[in-house]
Amino acid sequence: MLGMLFNNKECKELDYVLRKELDEMLLDLNDSRLDGDIKGAIARRYRIIFRMYARIASPKELSRYALNARMYK
């Protein structure tokens, strides 16, 4: 197990970066031009980034990025 210490400014920056990455992946997942294999890879990465974001976000903020699990398998 690894741990990191962040000050308040660094925590806000990490929050911002993770939210922007999640937003970009949501756009890609809704893009009809991408095939299933690409969307599957994006969905796997989305789950990893989402779990990282879940460690620092409030439940209200987190609910904005929760996906319907059946939609992106």
Side-chain angles (χ1 to χ4, degrees):
M1 178 191 250
L2 296 175
M4 297 179 77
L5 293 175
F6 295 109
N7 64 29
N8 194 36
K9 185 177 180 181
E10 292 167 336
C11 195
K12 286 181 182 179
E13 182 67 25
L14 180 62
D15 177 71
Y16 175 80
V17 169
L18 293 175
R19 279 188 293 115
K20 292 303 166 195
E21 189 66 26
L22 290 170
D23 287 337
E24 287 295 320
M25 286 187 280
L26 281 175
L27 287 174
D28 290 342
L29 286 170
N30 290 318
D31 189 346
S32 62
R33 297 173 294 172
L34 299 177
D35 67 356
D37 292 336
I38 302 291
K39 284 188 178 185
I42 294 170
R44 285 189 297 276
R45 185 161 189 258
Y46 187 93
R47 285 190 290 271
I48 292 167
I49 302 297
F50 181 80
R51 286 192 306 254
M52 290 172 65
Y53 184 60
R55 293 173 184 256
I56 60 173
S58 70
K60 182 180 178 183
E61 293 171 345
L62 195 60
S63 67
R64 187 176 146 197
Y65 294 102
L67 291 179
N68 181 350
R70 288 173 277 142
M71 191 176 202
Y72 298 110
K73 279 191 175 181

